[in-house]
Amino acid sequence: MAATTPAGPGEHSEHAGRIMSAEIAEQPAVLRRILDQGAPRIREVAAAIAARKPRFVLLTARGTSDNAALYAKYLLEIRLGLPCGLASMSTTTAYGAKPDLTDVLVITVSQSGGSPDLVASTKAAREAGAVTLAVTNNPDSPLAAVSEFHIDILAGPERALPATKTYTASLLSLYLFVEGLRGGDGAAAHVLPGLAEEILARRAEVRQLAARYRFAERMVITSRGYGYPTAKEAALKLMETSYIPALSYSGADLLHGPLAMVDNISPVIAVVPEGHGGEALQPVLDRLRGRGADLFVVGPKPQVEAASAGFVLPTEGVAEEVQPVLEILPLQLLAYEVTIARGQDPDAPRALAKVTETH
């Protein structure tokens, strides 16, 4: 067999990004699978947990799953009025704290279910009296084994290091779970697979936009409400694939200081939900335009037309709480296309492993 020479800086093999690209394309099918096959089990788990009447929710996750957990926090607080917090795992794993978690629901979100700190903190939470739920892509994982309840997000094997289909699968599964807690039917999610197909069919449009940002040295991503987890996930995708420093802020936080770094050189990506989140973001968009920012909008057509560039989302009439499943899709494509344009391989970012073993 002939030896091959690894691709050097500024060049990539013809196979670069093939796995990530395929997994991005799988997402409509994954969403349909969850709605058709996963929803009944999710409703059963939600009913069993609702009967326990948790008084508080703690969400535990890392990386991409942490952004999915943040989405669940918005859902639980807005849809159920249930207080939520994002757990600090080191309080138990590193410091040995022993909180009283009686009647607390602890939801741990993890694609692999294999990170030792997630397993250890979930085990400690269960021993401290919590109702524990693991949301993973691996029902045979150590995390599923130590949790009282488990939801399989049914995304299928994910081989590219950047998580794509497991992120949207986690969002949809968490939405259906929260709807189950409140006795809802989750009907608002049934439009998602078809709309996801429409968005992903516009890859050429994103490729043109990516050429605009190929040489960006920094990006800022912002949103509000349900769109804020999308901003954080988009920043993570850009950083781990293209290595562009991407800073994510709630629009409210952006006005409290970081706005000073915005200029007409570094692009700002604004995720504008159709609904209350988009309305709350409007003053931020006005300030960004006033500073001459290179503003890229992912959202409704009027907002895109008023920006420097953007991607129109087909979200008219779509419930705001499920829009994040659609919002992230063009941004996953953007991260992929920018990375390819920069001569790098998004399938295998440097210094990363699929299962991150933090302790």
Side-chain angles (χ1 to χ4, degrees), residues 123-213:
K123 184 174 184 289
R126 191 170 181 180
E127 291 170 352
V131 179
T132 52
L133 167 65
V135 179
T136 82
N137 196 37
N138 184 1
D140 299 320
S141 63
L143 179 60
V146 301
S147 299
E148 184 176 357
F149 297 97
H150 177 258
I151 288 174
D152 184 351
I153 64 172
L154 300 175
E158 188 173 60
R159 295 189 297 131
L161 285 177
T164 53
K165 63 179 181 174
T166 52
Y167 179 68
T168 50
S170 296
L171 296 189
L172 178 54
S173 298
L174 288 163
Y175 168 74
L176 293 174
F177 170 69
V178 173
E179 284 300 288
L181 287 179
R182 64 192 292 271
D185 59 7
H190 286 251
V191 299
L192 296 176
L195 292 176
E197 282 180 339
E198 287 182 27
I199 291 169
L200 294 176
R202 296 160 59 191
R203 180 182 287 250
E205 185 181 332
V206 178
R207 189 174 299 123
Q208 288 184 328
L209 292 166
R212 179 185 180 98
Y213 301 114

Side-chain angles (χ1 to χ4, degrees), residues 20 23-24 27 62-65 111 158-168 170 233 236-237 240-241 328 332 346-347 349 352 354:
M20 182 182 178
E23 289 175 350
I24 289 173
Q27 289 175 103
R62 297 285 192 201
T64 284
S65 294
Q111 299 149 46
E158 188 173 60
R159 295 189 297 131
L161 285 177
T164 53
K165 63 179 181 174
T166 52
Y167 179 68
T168 50
S170 296
E233 175 62 10
L236 178 59
K237 283 293 148 292
E240 68 183 353
T241 57
I328 192 59
Q332 290 174 345
D347 282 345
L352 296 180
K354 191 62 180 171

Side-chain angles (χ1 to χ4, degrees), residues 221-235:
I221 301 103
T222 188
S223 190
R224 296 226 33 199
Y226 286 115
Y228 180 41
T230 307
K232 290 176 68 67
E233 175 62 10

Side-chain angles (χ1 to χ4, degrees), residues 251-318:
D253 290 330
L254 185 63
L255 296 181
H256 286 267
L259 185 68
M261 71 177 173
V262 172
D263 53 31
N264 61 357
I265 298 173
S266 299
V268 177
I269 298 175
V271 179
V272 185
E274 186 111 35
H276 296 297
E279 293 166 7
L281 192 62
Q282 189 58 52
V284 182
L285 299 175
D286 293 340
R287 291 284 298 276
L288 289 168
R289 292 189 191 99
R291 290 190 61 80
D294 180 349
L295 181 60
F296 177 110
V297 166
V298 175
K301 186 175 182 179
Q303 296 288 358
V304 172
E305 289 177 341
S308 307
F311 187 97
V312 177
L313 286 175
T315 49
E316 185 175 355
V318 177

